[in-house]
Amino acid sequence: MPIADETAQFPPGSAVEPALVTPWSRALGLRVPVVNAPMGGVAGGRLAAAVTAAGGLGMIGMGSAATGDALRRELAHTEPVTGPFGIGLVDWVVARRPELLEIAIAARPALIAISFGEDLSWAARVREHGIRTATQVFTADHARRAADAGVEVLVARGLEGGGHGAIEMATVPLLDAVLAAVDIPVLAAGGIGSAASLAAVLAAGAGGAWIGTALAACAESSLSATGRQAMLAADGADTVVTTAVDVALGYPWPAHFPSRVLRNDFVTAWTGHEDALRADAGARDTLRAGIAADDPRVLPVDAGQGVGLVTAVEPVARVLDGWCRGAAELLAPRTPIGS
Ligand SMILES: Cc1cc2nc3c(=O)[nH]c(=O)nc-3n(C[C@H](O)[C@H](O)[C@H](O)COP(=O)(O)O)c2cc1C
C-alpha cells in the first residue's frame, strides 16, 4: 500500500504527494512512483531524462535493434539530469551483443532491467555492481523464479500492455497473484495511463507503475511523427497481438512473446499467416520499405490497450503532474458520511 513517511529522503525543495509514496519509490528517492517502460526506439535518453526530472524513474529502452553505440548516444542525454535513471534491455539482444550489458553497468544507473529471458543469472552480476535489478513477469510462477534468481523488483506486466510480452494474464489479476507469490517490490504494467489507473494499481499494492504506451507519444519521446499520429488516432480496440512483424524482420523473439501493436494493413494481412510470410520475400521487403518510408499502412507501432488515453502530444512533466494530482486525490482518505 502507498504509505506516507515524513522522514523520506527526497531532493530538497521537491513537492511530494504523501498518498503516492510507496516503500519502493521512497527507497529510490522518487517523488512520483512512475517508471517509463524501456521502449526500444521510443524511450531514448530524452524521454528518460524528462521522466527523471519530473520525479519518476526514467528508463532508456534498447529493443530488438539495439547497438552499443545507440545506447551510448542515448545515455549522453541523461548526463545533465540529477536523479536516478534506469536502462532496460531485451534478453536475446544482450545474448547477441553482450557489450550492451557492459555499457549499461558502466553507466551506473539506479536500475537495470532485462526482460524476456529464461536465464536470470545476469541479475547476480548486476547486483555485484551495486545496481538494482528488475524484470517483467507474466505469471506468479515466473515471479517466483525471478525472485529466487535474485531479481529485486518485479514488473507484473499484463496482457493489455503494448510491445512484447506473454499473453497470459491481465494486469490487475496478475498484480494480485504476483504480490501473493513474492515478498519483494512489484511494479504494475499494462494499460496504465490515467490518474485512475495509477491510483488503482497503487491501491492494489504496487510499488509503482511501469508505463509505456501512455508516455510513448510525449513530446520528448523518439517515436516517429507517423507513429505518434497513429497513436493519437487509435482507441483501445485498435491493437492486435502478432508475431508477424518479428517474423518479417527476422528477429528471433520467442513465439510466446508476441507484440501488441496498432492494427494496420501489414499486420492485418499477415497475422496468423506467419509461415507464409517466412516464405514471402516480397512481403518482407514491403515491411522494410514501409518502415524506411514511415508509411502508416505498414509501419509497426507498439501500443497497448490504453492507447485511447493518448489524445495529445504533451511534455512528460505535464502528463505526470496530471496523473499524480488526480491519483493523490483518489487515494486520499474519504470523509466518513455524517461527519
Ligand atoms: C512502443 C513500445 C516499445 C516497447 N519496447 C520495449 C523494449 O524495448 N523492452 C522492453 O522490455 N519492453 C518494451 N515494451 C513493453 C514495456 O516494457 C511494457 O511492458 C508495456 O509498455 C506496458 O504496457 P503499456 O504499454 O500498456 O503501458 C515496449 C512497449 C511499447 C509501447
Side-chain angles (χ1 to χ4, degrees):
M1 278 297 287
I3 57 161
D5 183 345
E6 300 306 317
T7 63
Q9 295 298 304
F10 298 107
S14 56
V16 177
E17 287 286 359
L20 300 188
V21 177
T22 72
W24 183 76
S25 67
R26 191 183 46 201
L28 270 97
L30 306 179
R31 298 197 305 276
V32 168
V34 169
V35 182
N36 76 267
M39 298 177 277
V42 172
R46 282 187 65 227
L47 187 79
V51 170
T52 293
L57 181 68
M59 297 275 291
I60 294 176
M62 287 282 124
S64 308
T67 64
D69 284 348
L71 177 52
R72 281 196 198 91
R73 263 196 314 276
E74 297 305 331
L75 279 165
H77 291 283
T78 60
E79 274 164 22
V81 178
T82 53
F85 73 96
I87 299 171
L89 304 171
V90 172
D91 182 78
W92 66 261
V93 182
V94 175
R96 281 185 165 187
R97 296 180 177 272
E99 72 273 17
L100 286 165
L101 185 54
E102 307 303 327
I103 297 165
I105 289 171
R108 312 287 316 150
L111 182 80
I112 290 181
I114 302 185
S115 295
F116 313 117
E118 288 298 319
D119 175 5
L120 295 158
S121 55
W122 60 268
R125 203 172 140 229
V126 169
R127 283 179 72 164
E128 275 168 21
H129 293 269
I131 299 169
R132 288 182 168 86
T133 51
T135 195
Q136 296 180 74
V137 297
F138 307 94
T139 63
D141 240 25
H142 187 186
R144 275 186 216 102
R145 269 184 282 129
D148 289 348
V151 179
E152 294 158 293
V153 182
L154 302 184
V155 182
R157 195 275 197 188
L159 54 78
E160 306 90 316
H164 291 87
I167 304 302
E168 293 274 1
M169 292 179 75
T171 301
V172 171
L174 176 64
L175 177 62
D176 274 343
V178 173
L179 282 167
V182 299
D183 219 7
I184 55 176
V186 180
L187 311 182
I192 304 162
S194 64
S197 49
L198 175 59
V201 296
L202 293 176
W210 168 287
I211 300 180
T213 301
L215 292 170
C218 279
E220 297 89 344
S221 89
S222 313
L223 190 62
S224 71
T226 302
R228 219 176 275 273
Q229 213 36 57
M231 280 214 177
L232 292 172
D235 76 26
D238 292 333
T239 72
V240 57
V241 171
T242 187
T243 57
V245 174
D246 295 328
V247 165
L249 293 176
Y251 289 143
W253 277 94
H256 57 283
F257 293 130
S259 59
R260 187 179 288 283
V261 300
L262 293 181
R263 203 186 304 280
N264 64 18
D265 290 355
F266 184 87
V267 168
T268 302
W270 291 106
T271 299
H273 306 288
E274 283 80 357
D275 284 341
L277 181 56
R278 264 187 206 96
D280 191 330
R284 297 198 306 273
D285 288 347
T286 304
L287 178 62
R288 288 182 190 281
I291 292 171
D294 223 14
D295 178 347
R297 295 168 300 175
V298 172
L299 184 75
V301 180
D302 288 358
Q305 292 178 336
V307 69
L309 298 163
V310 179
T311 54
V313 176
E314 290 191 295
V316 162
R318 191 179 308 154
V319 173
L320 289 194
D321 187 56
W323 291 345
C324 289
R325 279 170 197 272
E329 236 176 83
L330 288 164
L331 291 168
R334 307 217 185 270
T335 314
I337 295 169
S339 67

